[in-house]
mmCIF file of all heavy atoms in Angstrom:
data_model
loop_
_atom_site.group_PDB
_atom_site.id
_atom_site.type_symbol
_atom_site.label_atom_id
_atom_site.label_comp_id
_atom_site.label_asym_id
_atom_site.label_seq_id
_atom_site.Cartn_x
_atom_site.Cartn_y
_atom_site.Cartn_z
ATOM 1 N N ASP B 120 23.438 48.370 -5.430
ATOM 2 C CA ASP B 120 23.878 48.205 -6.811
ATOM 3 C C ASP B 120 22.785 48.144 -7.834
ATOM 4 O O ASP B 120 23.094 48.207 -9.021
ATOM 5 C CB ASP B 120 24.911 47.012 -6.985
ATOM 6 C CG ASP B 120 24.216 45.725 -6.604
ATOM 7 O OD1 ASP B 120 23.213 45.764 -5.785
ATOM 8 O OD2 ASP B 120 24.589 44.692 -7.245
ATOM 9 N N ARG B 121 21.553 48.167 -7.359
ATOM 10 C CA ARG B 121 20.483 48.091 -8.342
ATOM 11 C C ARG B 121 19.795 49.483 -8.361
ATOM 12 O O ARG B 121 19.171 49.811 -9.445
ATOM 13 C CB ARG B 121 19.431 46.979 -7.928
ATOM 14 C CG ARG B 121 19.921 45.597 -8.270
ATOM 15 C CD ARG B 121 18.792 44.634 -8.032
ATOM 16 N NE ARG B 121 19.455 43.250 -7.990
ATOM 17 C CZ ARG B 121 19.109 42.314 -7.089
ATOM 18 N NH1 ARG B 121 18.196 42.599 -6.097
ATOM 19 N NH2 ARG B 121 19.646 41.151 -7.079
ATOM 20 N N ILE B 122 19.763 50.187 -7.302
ATOM 21 C CA ILE B 122 18.985 51.408 -7.283
ATOM 22 C C ILE B 122 19.594 52.380 -8.367
ATOM 23 O O ILE B 122 20.810 52.549 -8.444
ATOM 24 C CB ILE B 122 19.148 52.073 -5.889
ATOM 25 C CG1 ILE B 122 18.358 51.238 -4.779
ATOM 26 C CG2 ILE B 122 18.641 53.522 -5.897
ATOM 27 C CD1 ILE B 122 18.664 51.652 -3.419
ATOM 28 N N GLY B 123 18.661 52.937 -9.126
ATOM 29 C CA GLY B 123 19.067 53.835 -10.150
ATOM 30 C C GLY B 123 19.292 53.156 -11.433
ATOM 31 O O GLY B 123 19.315 53.853 -12.511
ATOM 32 N N ALA B 124 19.559 51.885 -11.470
ATOM 33 C CA ALA B 124 19.680 51.225 -12.676
ATOM 34 C C ALA B 124 18.297 51.088 -13.394
ATOM 35 O O ALA B 124 17.350 51.531 -12.778
ATOM 36 C CB ALA B 124 20.163 49.704 -12.491
ATOM 37 N N LYS B 125 18.330 50.679 -14.575
ATOM 38 C CA LYS B 125 17.088 50.706 -15.372
ATOM 39 C C LYS B 125 16.568 49.299 -15.655
ATOM 40 O O LYS B 125 17.362 48.381 -15.966
ATOM 41 C CB LYS B 125 17.171 51.455 -16.632
ATOM 42 C CG LYS B 125 17.288 52.941 -16.391
ATOM 43 C CD LYS B 125 16.672 53.734 -17.629
ATOM 44 C CE LYS B 125 16.340 55.121 -17.225
ATOM 45 N NZ LYS B 125 15.657 55.888 -18.267
ATOM 46 N N LEU B 126 15.230 49.061 -15.615
ATOM 47 C CA LEU B 126 14.694 47.887 -16.070
ATOM 48 C C LEU B 126 13.734 48.305 -17.175
ATOM 49 O O LEU B 126 12.763 49.037 -16.961
ATOM 50 C CB LEU B 126 13.867 47.135 -14.899
ATOM 51 C CG LEU B 126 13.795 45.665 -14.903
ATOM 52 C CD1 LEU B 126 15.134 45.031 -14.949
ATOM 53 C CD2 LEU B 126 13.125 45.239 -13.575
ATOM 54 N N GLY B 127 14.042 48.023 -18.421
ATOM 55 C CA GLY B 127 13.372 48.544 -19.517
ATOM 56 C C GLY B 127 13.447 50.072 -19.445
ATOM 57 O O GLY B 127 14.608 50.682 -19.339
ATOM 58 N N GLU B 128 12.289 50.830 -19.410
ATOM 59 C CA GLU B 128 12.385 52.226 -19.396
ATOM 60 C C GLU B 128 12.384 52.720 -17.924
ATOM 61 O O GLU B 128 12.475 53.940 -17.732
ATOM 62 C CB GLU B 128 11.064 52.801 -20.075
ATOM 63 C CG GLU B 128 10.790 52.338 -21.521
ATOM 64 C CD GLU B 128 11.525 53.143 -22.488
ATOM 65 O OE1 GLU B 128 10.982 54.210 -22.801
ATOM 66 O OE2 GLU B 128 12.642 52.744 -22.876
ATOM 67 N N LEU B 129 12.090 51.850 -17.072
ATOM 68 C CA LEU B 129 11.855 52.297 -15.627
ATOM 69 C C LEU B 129 13.089 52.350 -14.884
ATOM 70 O O LEU B 129 13.884 51.351 -14.835
ATOM 71 C CB LEU B 129 10.807 51.329 -14.989
ATOM 72 C CG LEU B 129 9.408 51.398 -15.548
ATOM 73 C CD1 LEU B 129 8.499 50.347 -14.882
ATOM 74 C CD2 LEU B 129 8.766 52.788 -15.322
ATOM 75 N N GLU B 130 13.268 53.257 -13.993
ATOM 76 C CA GLU B 130 14.316 53.461 -13.119
ATOM 77 C C GLU B 130 14.021 52.721 -11.826
ATOM 78 O O GLU B 130 12.911 52.786 -11.299
ATOM 79 C CB GLU B 130 14.680 54.933 -12.766
ATOM 80 C CG GLU B 130 15.908 55.018 -11.966
ATOM 81 C CD GLU B 130 16.128 56.539 -11.556
ATOM 82 O OE1 GLU B 130 15.698 57.478 -12.442
ATOM 83 O OE2 GLU B 130 16.488 56.905 -10.424
ATOM 84 N N ILE B 131 14.979 51.909 -11.343
ATOM 85 C CA ILE B 131 14.794 51.190 -10.056
ATOM 86 C C ILE B 131 14.812 52.077 -8.964
ATOM 87 O O ILE B 131 15.835 52.821 -8.817
ATOM 88 C CB ILE B 131 15.690 49.971 -9.994
ATOM 89 C CG1 ILE B 131 15.558 49.066 -11.177
ATOM 90 C CG2 ILE B 131 15.613 49.247 -8.602
ATOM 91 C CD1 ILE B 131 16.529 47.880 -11.210
ATOM 92 N N ARG B 132 13.746 52.164 -8.057
ATOM 93 C CA ARG B 132 13.726 53.057 -7.018
ATOM 94 C C ARG B 132 14.020 52.383 -5.565
ATOM 95 O O ARG B 132 13.641 51.154 -5.454
ATOM 96 C CB ARG B 132 12.327 53.716 -6.895
ATOM 97 C CG ARG B 132 11.806 54.435 -8.146
ATOM 98 C CD ARG B 132 12.667 55.681 -8.367
ATOM 99 N NE ARG B 132 11.984 56.590 -9.209
ATOM 100 C CZ ARG B 132 11.198 57.564 -8.838
ATOM 101 N NH1 ARG B 132 11.109 57.824 -7.597
ATOM 102 N NH2 ARG B 132 10.615 58.337 -9.736
ATOM 103 N N PRO B 133 14.468 53.090 -4.679
ATOM 104 C CA PRO B 133 14.666 52.501 -3.354
ATOM 105 C C PRO B 133 13.379 52.355 -2.674
ATOM 106 O O PRO B 133 12.379 53.126 -2.989
ATOM 107 C CB PRO B 133 15.610 53.557 -2.581
ATOM 108 C CG PRO B 133 15.273 54.861 -3.298
ATOM 109 C CD PRO B 133 14.942 54.460 -4.681
ATOM 110 N N MET B 134 13.251 51.509 -1.578
ATOM 111 C CA MET B 134 12.030 51.267 -0.972
ATOM 112 C C MET B 134 11.554 52.457 -0.135
ATOM 113 O O MET B 134 10.388 52.618 0.182
ATOM 114 C CB MET B 134 12.143 50.103 -0.034
ATOM 115 C CG MET B 134 11.981 48.676 -0.711
ATOM 116 S SD MET B 134 10.420 48.543 -1.684
ATOM 117 C CE MET B 134 9.206 48.467 -0.279
ATOM 118 N N ASP B 135 12.523 53.324 0.202
ATOM 119 C CA ASP B 135 12.126 54.663 0.747
ATOM 120 C C ASP B 135 11.125 55.359 0.010
ATOM 121 O O ASP B 135 10.229 56.117 0.519
ATOM 122 C CB ASP B 135 13.316 55.481 0.977
ATOM 123 C CG ASP B 135 14.195 55.011 2.174
ATOM 124 O OD1 ASP B 135 13.659 54.063 2.880
ATOM 125 O OD2 ASP B 135 15.341 55.492 2.329
ATOM 126 N N ASP B 136 11.131 55.340 -1.363
ATOM 127 C CA ASP B 136 10.228 55.961 -2.215
ATOM 128 C C ASP B 136 8.978 55.279 -2.411
ATOM 129 O O ASP B 136 7.993 55.778 -3.130
ATOM 130 C CB ASP B 136 10.879 56.291 -3.583
ATOM 131 C CG ASP B 136 12.136 57.103 -3.436
ATOM 132 O OD1 ASP B 136 12.348 57.584 -2.343
ATOM 133 O OD2 ASP B 136 12.793 57.423 -4.481
ATOM 134 N N PHE B 137 8.815 54.091 -1.811
ATOM 135 C CA PHE B 137 7.651 53.238 -2.225
ATOM 136 C C PHE B 137 6.318 53.825 -2.070
ATOM 137 O O PHE B 137 5.612 54.034 -3.073
ATOM 138 C CB PHE B 137 7.672 51.951 -1.354
ATOM 139 C CG PHE B 137 6.562 50.994 -1.628
ATOM 140 C CD1 PHE B 137 6.647 50.288 -2.819
ATOM 141 C CD2 PHE B 137 5.503 50.786 -0.815
ATOM 142 C CE1 PHE B 137 5.677 49.284 -3.192
ATOM 143 C CE2 PHE B 137 4.464 49.933 -1.108
ATOM 144 C CZ PHE B 137 4.582 49.122 -2.358
ATOM 145 N N GLU B 138 5.977 54.385 -0.932
ATOM 146 C CA GLU B 138 4.704 54.914 -0.792
ATOM 147 C C GLU B 138 4.414 56.229 -1.731
ATOM 148 O O GLU B 138 3.319 56.279 -2.381
ATOM 149 C CB GLU B 138 4.429 55.341 0.607
ATOM 150 C CG GLU B 138 4.223 54.172 1.701
ATOM 151 C CD GLU B 138 5.426 53.456 1.933
ATOM 152 O OE1 GLU B 138 6.620 53.884 1.577
ATOM 153 O OE2 GLU B 138 5.339 52.326 2.637
ATOM 154 N N ARG B 139 5.341 57.033 -1.864
ATOM 155 C CA ARG B 139 5.168 58.194 -2.625
ATOM 156 C C ARG B 139 4.931 57.838 -4.080
ATOM 157 O O ARG B 139 4.030 58.258 -4.764
ATOM 158 C CB ARG B 139 6.439 59.137 -2.440
ATOM 159 C CG ARG B 139 6.313 60.520 -3.198
ATOM 160 C CD ARG B 139 7.423 61.443 -2.813
ATOM 161 N NE ARG B 139 8.707 60.864 -3.065
ATOM 162 C CZ ARG B 139 9.293 60.733 -4.242
ATOM 163 N NH1 ARG B 139 8.720 61.160 -5.207
ATOM 164 N NH2 ARG B 139 10.539 60.259 -4.296
#
Side-chain angles (χ1 to χ4, degrees):
Chain B
D120 59 333
R121 286 189 195 133
I122 294 172
K125 288 212 163 182
L126 212 50
E128 307 273 280
L129 295 174
E130 188 184 321
I131 298 172
R132 304 292 199 97
M134 279 305 289
D135 285 349
D136 295 356
F137 182 73
E138 284 76 8
R139 186 170 54 75

